[in-house]
DNA sequence: GTCTATAGACGGATAGAC
DNA sequence: GTCTATCCGTCTATAGAC
């Protein structure tokens, strides 16, 4: 996988002083190997030896750079989560975007994030169950979700929809956008699809989901 | 990894006649401790010593009854999965039940199964990703799903819905029924609900989901 | 910075007493 | 059937050469 080492250009060795050109550092090789393995198998099923050999470096280097396996895990986890939480928060909190437009952007965000890495979502849920404290909202996220929630409540009030709790709308949105990525291997196998067809289906959902959400919100 | 072979339990069928009277046998104590811990944390995060102490028995007994940790795991997994797969298959395959009635029964089935044990669904998905071979359908399931799928296709043909793949209907159904159980801890915390309120919400969905599915299928 | 070699702890499994 | 004691491989972490 990621062991792409760009060959330094032999004709101008002199200019290689600052490293922009060439090798991925050992630290980065370890990080990306760890990200891959931890995300696929979790903390305990992955041994430091696995990471070292996947990264093509020596076992001792892992401790040299990251002190311990746990610290490396924490680092990977934090990187996996923060970028993701940030983009969702920004989207939810946008006061000037229409609800259904927001829903479409959310679908697309997930498609980009999870379509290329179906294991990540499962990893996130495992983390959420095992280390819920990592998901305690910062002020930013809390406020952002309020914005989205208010948009939903306003719409329901306007449409006079009273018989269901607004949380159901939120659950349905989350379910329809995220769950298919968890079912990825399952659906692929059952429907006898290859990766490309599967991705095409998931991409269709980016525009279909807002339509379904409209239907659910307009009885 | 090691070949986990699902072995139907033949070992203690005969011995069940005794014991109604009093104490739970050591074997059962181990099984229920293992079920709890494996379901919560997975195979590798659980140590045999954890199981022994949770069960209140000695470490050696675990091997005495189950030969090895992995065999115990396989046993627990098999018990978790087979009952569940069976009831879904029976429901899907019922030729005489209307599609939306079937959807309502499915919602209810999941409510009963996962409402009382939110960790189980996550466990199932982890297993699905790590040991997909355990989910290869028997003939029964394969045929059952065909029955359901045909009902969906027939309805879509009748309603002249052409712009979406029938698989989306299946994905939406699965998403809306199952995903909220995965989000359980998340939703509870965000919406500041207690367990009872949360369960009430999930129970509402049993009747709401068929209605939403109707809306999605009737543009 | 990167390697080899190894210390030291942990965890699964078993021998053997009762 | 149930226990204690222990074996032995595996794993993380580190010492020390280069």
């Amino acid at each position: 996988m990621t062991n792409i080492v760009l060959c330094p250009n032999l004709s101008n060795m002199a200019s290689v002083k600052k490293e922009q050109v060439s090798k991925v550092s050992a630290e980065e090789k370890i990080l990306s190997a760890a990200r891959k393995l931890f995300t696929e198998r979790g903390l305990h099923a992955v041994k430091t030896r696995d990471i070292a050999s996947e990264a093509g470096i020596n076992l001792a280097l892992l401790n040299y750079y990251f002190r311990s396996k746990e610290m490396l895990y924490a680092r990977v986890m934090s990187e996996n989560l923060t970028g993701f939480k940030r983009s969702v928060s920004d989207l939810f909190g946008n006061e000037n975007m229409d609800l259904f437009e927001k829903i479409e952007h959310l679908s697309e965000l997930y498609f980009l994030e999870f379509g290329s890495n179906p294991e990540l979502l499962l990893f996130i849920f495992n983390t959420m169950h095992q280390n819920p404290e990592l998901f305690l909202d910062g002020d930013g996220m809390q406020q952002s979700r309020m914005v989205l929630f208010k948009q939903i409540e306003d719409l329901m009030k306007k449409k006079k929809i009273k018989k269901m709790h607004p949380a159901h709308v939120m659950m349905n949105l989350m379910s329809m956008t995220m769950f298919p990525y968890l079912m990825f291997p399952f659906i692929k196998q059952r429907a006898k699809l290859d990766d490309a067809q599967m991705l095409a289906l998931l991409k269709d959902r980016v525009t279909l989901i807002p339509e379904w959400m409209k239907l659910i919100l307009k009885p």
Side-chain angles (χ1 to χ4, degrees), chain A residues 92-121:
Chain A
F92 277 14
N94 186 333
E95 306 250 13
N96 302 315
M97 194 183 282
D98 167 73
L99 177 60
F100 293 104
E101 199 183 343
K102 208 176 266 194
I103 289 175
E104 181 163 350
H105 275 80
L106 187 73
S107 304
E108 193 174 19
L109 190 68
Y110 287 165
F111 177 71
L112 295 173
E113 187 81 26
F114 302 122
S116 54
N117 186 4
E119 302 298 330
L120 181 56
L121 190 57

Side-chain angles (χ1 to χ4, degrees), chain A residues 126-157:
Chain A
N126 280 314
T127 308
M128 203 164 89
H129 281 248
Q130 280 161 34
N131 305 85
E133 72 282 2
L134 291 174
F135 282 83
L136 289 177
D137 290 340
D139 286 351
M141 188 54 180
Q142 203 153 346
Q143 207 161 355
S144 296
R145 204 179 37 253
M146 294 268 296
V147 172
L148 181 66
F149 214 80
K150 185 156 188 329
Q151 286 180 301
I152 292 173
E153 282 180 325
D154 286 350
L155 183 68
M156 288 178 73
K157 192 174 292 179

Side-chain angles (χ1 to χ4, degrees), chain A residues 2-16:
Chain A
T2 26
N3 266 343
I4 300 167
V5 178
L6 301 175
C7 292
N9 186 340
L10 297 176
S11 66
N12 59 350
M13 289 292 278
S15 70
V16 185

Side-chain angles (χ1 to χ4, degrees), chain A residues 5-66:
Chain A
V5 178
L6 301 175
C7 292
N9 186 340
L10 297 176
S11 66
N12 59 350
M13 289 292 278
S15 70
V16 185
K17 46 191 169 189
K18 265 283 182 175
E19 316 287 334
Q20 320 93 317
V21 178
S22 57
K23 302 193 290 189
V24 181
S25 72
E27 187 171 2
E28 280 160 6
K29 284 194 277 188
I30 295 171
L31 261 179
S32 83
R35 185 171 1 263
K36 173 168 185 265
L37 296 180
F38 281 144
T39 305
E40 277 172 17
R41 302 187 220 151
L43 171 61
H44 299 282
V46 175
K47 308 305 171 189
T48 49
R49 283 167 170 79
D50 302 337
I51 298 173
S53 92
E54 171 83 25
I57 53 89
N58 186 274
L59 181 55
L61 275 190
L62 192 151
N63 291 74
Y64 175 75
Y65 283 112
F66 300 97

Side-chain angles (χ1 to χ4, degrees), chain A residues 35 74-92 106 109-110 112-114 120 123-124 134-135 141:
Chain A
R35 185 171 1 263
R75 167 77 174 274
V76 165
M77 197 149 68
S78 141
E79 287 184 5
N80 267 347
L81 291 181
T82 51
F84 175 70
K85 281 169 64 174
R86 172 67 163 284
S87 26
V88 172
S89 174
D90 287 350
L91 179 60
F92 277 14
L106 187 73
L109 190 68
Y110 287 165
L112 295 173
E113 187 81 26
F114 302 122
L120 181 56
F123 174 80
I124 287 176
L134 291 174
F135 282 83
M141 188 54 180

